Amino acid sequence: MNSIKRVMVGWMLLMLCGLAQAETLQISSLDLMKVQQGWGHPQPNRSVSGNPLTIAGTQYEHGLGTHTDSVLWIDCHGTAQRFTAQVGVDDEVGDNVGTMVFTVVADGQERYNSGILKTGDQACDVDVDLADVEILILLVASGVDGMNYDHADWALAQIEYQGEAPVALDGPKEEAIILTPPPPTTPRINGAKVFGVRPGSPVLYTIAATGERPMTFVAEHLPEGLQLDAETGQLRGSVKIPDTYLITLQATNAKGMDRCVMRLEVGDTLALTPPMGWNSWNCWGCAVDEEKIRQAAQAMVSSGLINHGWSYINIDDCWMRKPDEQARDAEGNILTNARFPDMKQLTDDIHAMGLKVGTYISPGPTTCQGYEGSYQHELQDAMQFAAWGFDYLKYDWCGYSQVEKGREKDALTKPYLLMKQCLDQMDRDIVYSLCQYGMGDVWTWGLEVGGNCWRTTGDITDTWGSMSSIGFSQDQCSPYAQPGHWNDPDMLVVGQVGWGPNLHPTRLTPNEQYTHISLWCLLSSPLLIGCDLTKLDDFTLNLLTNDEVLALNQDPFGQQAKRVHALGLTEVWSKKMADGSLAVGLFNRGEFEQEVTASWEVLGLSGPARVRDCWQQQDVGILDQTLTRKVPRHGVFLVRIFPQG
């Protein structure tokens, strides 16, 4: 009798389960803070800019508005049955062209791919069977023209399920594995081996060298006007005669000695290799003050970053006063606010450490944060920056939109030409950084206005979507990079960041951080650290002090890497080095480990070549015809290839 009851109860439960109604979960009701994307913030039931979801004239009641590159992981618990949506580019981009690809991945298998969609295309229907699926991933990748205007809509996106409701997930967790061995105790001279100054301008060059201290330095064949401090390795003075000077540098300690030749170019070109340093914005924002700048400079020295070529300490926005706070004196000279009581003393003290100092302002009446700008005071401000002792100027379009609405080339170049003319009159070298977010394809004319570097993109954030969208869209800029003139895809977002005053560990996974540093070095990008230097953990410090990786960035040939091969979400980037070797990155932009291959044909190689793993600083071996590696999710295999014979 008991067995009959058990059978009856089981039969009734099966009947109840069969009669249970499937429920519907709208994607917009999930925790959208889990979405990673390249620009803006994910929006429930609205576009990424906060407007009604609209594709090709049709408006939708619910869905997810996002921006490439976008990823959302969803735990379906095996209870989901079906995913449906209509996808496309949101109409809010107007006449601007956005291109993108929507992909649905279920338990590691691609179940839907939209192909490239562009502005104005009709929405595509998505209908995916999710029976027994545990993990669902919704992806939107940028198309063929970078990430600009890629406003992506998952309209009417919903999951039918029966049982436990699906939930949004963070991406997979990773262990922060340090790949790079510590530098030897014997001396090793690092950093750029070429340096540019204008005739008669003050020279400050600190020999970057690792190894046990104390260490003494020697410089042979110094031109007249330069002196070396044997204890600090700082070269100072000025050289009046334009020429190329080959200086032999030597570093010695109790364990040994290292020598190299540094090429000093006295002429009219600065920043012959991309600037390397730190900028205050990504950690302190407007909470910046003199003490934080001093601490950053001291940490750059005490952490040893200075021994790997890091040299600039740059103060971003918010050091000046606001226009309603008597921002200038009676003669029109710009004034600092109370957080910076003595700018000249600050720069002098940082210079004494062997470091350089940068500043920031806008060509407009105000800066991005509403502080005093340079408008109609350009020459006066250039003179003040030189008098204070600044070595770098970030000139941010931002407030200039108040006086210039046009976006044609003449309008875009006008304020930058004016400030360049002012800087050229100074008896101090000031590296000139144009910040205007890539408007008007600035990489095609940045050199014309005298820029040493120019921002090619909007602001970066510490997400995979932002970093990868920006970094992997730089291929179009590559032909315009050269010594003294660099494409700038914005600052580094590793370590403790937060845009002030509250900081958090970067949201990039360890593999994403390896990709970030590898790609920026291949791109010959300015390297400006954005984190709190006083709180560097071992992993972050290791990322920033691998001299073989940094050497790819500081190579005197000055070529920017190009994408030479792409297959699905895998890419191969390559750049030629001054010694004839190649720097090559094998990247996996996908959500799962994938095999990536670089053939000798696409790399332009023939015959055997020695392959060296740059992060682990060890040889892989002598290879011929192909290099193949399994690369983890969002990861990289970075190598230098030396042709044999």
Side-chain angles (χ1 to χ4, degrees):
M1 189 68 180
N2 287 339
S3 61
I4 295 175
K5 285 184 178 180
R6 283 197 296 271
V7 170
M8 291 293 292
V9 169
W11 178 81
M12 292 177 66
L13 288 172
L14 287 172
M15 288 293 293
L16 288 172
C17 289
L19 292 173
Q21 295 295 311
E23 298 185 69
T24 299
L25 178 141
Q26 296 180 4
I27 296 299
S28 56
S29 68
L30 294 172
D31 178 5
L32 299 186
M33 292 301 293
K34 306 293 187 183
V35 177
Q36 291 206 34
Q37 60 189 55
W39 178 85
H41 301 283
Q43 301 282 345
N45 307 321
R46 311 289 284 185
S47 70
V48 71
S49 291
N51 299 308
L53 295 165
T54 310
I55 304 173
T58 300
Q59 188 169 312
Y60 299 89
E61 292 183 1
H62 69 87
L64 165 63
T66 184
H67 193 289
T68 63
D69 284 3
S70 171
V71 57
L72 173 61
W73 285 64
I74 302 172
D75 187 348
C76 292
H77 311 295
T79 65
Q81 298 175 339
R82 184 181 179 211
F83 171 75
T84 57
Q86 290 189 281
V87 297
V89 184
D90 196 281
D91 289 350
E92 69 185 2
V93 302
D95 295 331
N96 299 300
V97 178
T99 61
M100 60 193 66
V101 178
F102 291 80
T103 307
V104 178
V105 177
D107 285 342
Q109 300 297 315
E110 184 177 295
R111 297 285 186 89
Y112 173 83
N113 185 301
S114 68
I116 293 181
L117 301 179
K118 62 181 184 299
T119 304
D121 287 349
Q122 294 294 318
C124 289
D125 292 326
V126 183
D127 192 338
V128 177
D129 182 0
L130 297 183
D132 300 320
V133 168
E134 295 290 336
I135 301 296
L136 176 69
I137 309 174
L138 305 182
L139 298 160
V140 194
S142 52
V144 295
D145 58 351
M147 64 177 284
N148 289 341
Y149 309 111
D150 284 357
H151 296 210
D153 292 345
W154 292 95
L156 304 181
Q158 59 188 33
I159 297 173
E160 294 179 9
Y161 69 98
Q162 189 173 346
E164 188 174 359
V167 295
L169 296 173
D170 292 313
K173 301 298 182 184
E174 297 172 4
E175 182 182 356
I177 298 174
I178 292 176
L179 298 178
T180 305
T185 57
T186 55
R188 187 173 66 189
I189 299 176
N190 308 303
K193 303 304 188 297
V194 59
F195 184 65
V197 297
R198 294 186 303 160
S201 292
V203 172
L204 172 56
Y205 178 92
T206 299
I207 301 173
T210 52
E212 187 177 278
R213 260 51 178 184
M215 186 178 294
T216 57
F217 298 90
V218 174
E220 300 172 359
H221 315 300
L222 281 179
E224 184 178 352
L226 284 191
Q227 301 83 39
L228 173 70
D229 185 314
E231 293 185 4
T232 65
Q234 296 174 18
L235 278 170
R236 295 180 183 268
S238 65
V239 183
K240 295 181 179 179
I241 301 175
D243 204 346
T244 297
Y245 300 90
L246 299 180
I247 303 170
T248 300
L249 305 177
Q250 177 177 303
T252 305
N253 67 8
K255 300 296 180 66
M257 180 264 287
D258 190 25
R259 288 168 64 89
C260 74
V261 175
M262 187 267 282
R263 175 163 53 93
L264 175 65
E265 294 286 355
V266 181
D268 59 0
T269 304
L270 308 179
L272 293 176
T273 60
M276 291 175 57
W278 174 87
N279 180 284
S280 64
W281 185 253
N282 283 0
C283 58
W284 299 126
C286 272
V288 67
D289 57 38
E290 179 181 303
E291 184 57 28
K292 292 184 177 69
I293 298 301
R294 288 185 182 278
Q295 289 174 354
Q298 292 161 357
M300 184 169 282
V301 175
S302 64
S303 67
L305 286 170
I306 192 174
N307 300 325
H308 299 270
W310 299 93
S311 58
Y312 286 93
I313 297 293
N314 292 349
I315 309 167
D316 210 277
D317 203 351
C318 310
W319 59 263
M320 25 348 224
R321 301 182 185 184
K322 294 195 173 182
D324 60 355
E325 299 173 335
Q326 191 184 346
R328 295 181 180 272
D329 66 17
E331 285 74 41
N333 297 310
I334 194 165
L335 300 173
T336 60
N337 59 41
R339 298 194 302 275
F340 289 88
D342 192 338
M343 193 68 87
K344 181 63 167 69
Q345 188 63 57
L346 176 61
T347 60
D348 286 349
D349 292 346
I350 294 174
H351 286 149
M353 301 179 200
L355 300 171
K356 298 183 178 182
V357 197
T359 190
Y360 164 105
I361 205 164
S362 170
T366 62
T367 67
C368 288
Q369 301 302 312
Y371 289 78
E372 179 75 1
S374 278
Y375 186 61
Q376 297 183 333
H377 293 275
E378 292 84 2
L379 180 58
Q380 210 164 10
D381 287 353
M383 294 173 65
Q384 183 64 80
F385 298 153
W388 278 333
F390 282 113
D391 309 289
Y392 188 109
L393 173 63
K394 176 180 175 182
Y395 208 43
D396 193 341
W397 175 276
C398 224
Y400 194 70
S401 295
Q402 300 171 43
V403 296
E404 178 57 72
K405 304 300 181 185
R407 292 296 182 269
E408 64 279 1
K409 182 179 176 181
D410 286 348
L412 293 172
T413 59
K414 180 180 177 181
Y416 292 102
L417 275 169
L418 176 57
M419 179 53 80
K420 175 59 176 175
Q421 292 164 0
C422 297
L423 294 176
D424 283 346
Q425 298 178 52
M426 302 303 109
D427 59 0
R428 182 173 196 86
D429 292 344
I430 299 178
V431 170
Y432 190 29
S433 173
L434 319 182
C435 183
Q436 50 81 281
Y437 330 115
M439 294 185 297
D441 295 346
V442 62
W443 48 90
T444 65
W445 53 261
L447 187 151
E448 293 178 31
V449 300
N452 296 116
C453 43
W454 42 79
R455 276 277 295 280
T456 58
T457 175
D459 290 356
I460 195 171
T461 59
D462 58 323
T463 67
W464 169 252
S466 174
M467 184 275 290
S468 63
S469 293
I470 288 173
F472 290 107
S473 68
Q474 298 300 301
D475 190 56
Q476 60 185 328
C477 312
S478 179
Y480 302 95
Q482 60 182 275
H485 310 284
W486 310 104
N487 297 306
D488 179 4
D490 206 10
M491 294 172 278
L492 303 177
V493 283
V494 299
Q496 293 277 336
V497 295
W499 294 266
N502 299 315
L503 306 181
H504 62 265
T506 181
R507 290 173 287 179
L508 297 180
T509 67
N511 278 323
E512 291 167 357
Q513 292 178 67
Y514 279 118
T515 291
H516 185 19
I517 302 300
S518 299
L519 186 53
W520 262 239
C521 286
L522 287 170
L523 293 173
S524 300
S525 165
L527 299 179
L528 292 177
I529 304 166
C531 66
D532 183 354
L533 295 184
T534 69
K535 297 179 180 177
L536 288 173
D537 59 274
D538 290 342
F539 179 79
T540 305
L541 185 60
N542 192 260
L543 278 175
L544 300 173
T545 55
N546 182 313
D547 296 303
E548 293 192 25
V549 174
L550 295 176
L552 308 184
N553 178 268
Q554 295 292 292
D555 186 66
F557 190 56
Q559 187 179 91
Q560 177 176 316
K562 288 186 64 67
R563 182 190 295 110
V564 296
H565 180 68
L567 179 63
L569 291 174
T570 67
E571 300 187 6
V572 178
W573 289 65
S574 174
K575 68 176 288 187
K576 185 177 180 180
M577 305 288 284
D579 65 356
S581 65
L582 291 181
V584 179
L586 280 61
F587 294 95
N588 174 14
R589 300 178 66 181
E591 296 302 310
F592 303 94
E593 182 181 78
Q594 296 187 72
E595 195 171 80
V596 187
T597 296
S599 72
W600 265 219
E601 181 180 1
V602 302
L603 294 175
L605 295 171
S606 61
R610 178 169 63 90
V611 179
R612 184 167 177 82
D613 181 333
C614 294
W615 280 109
Q616 298 197 58
Q617 297 184 350
Q618 63 184 22
D619 285 352
V620 174
I622 306 296
L623 302 183
D624 196 356
Q625 297 185 350
T626 61
L627 168 65
T628 299
R629 192 75 164 199
K630 287 185 177 180
V631 181
R633 168 187 182 264
H634 297 180
V636 61
F637 183 50
L638 182 66
V639 298
R640 191 162 176 176
I641 301 179
F642 299 86
Q644 303 293 289

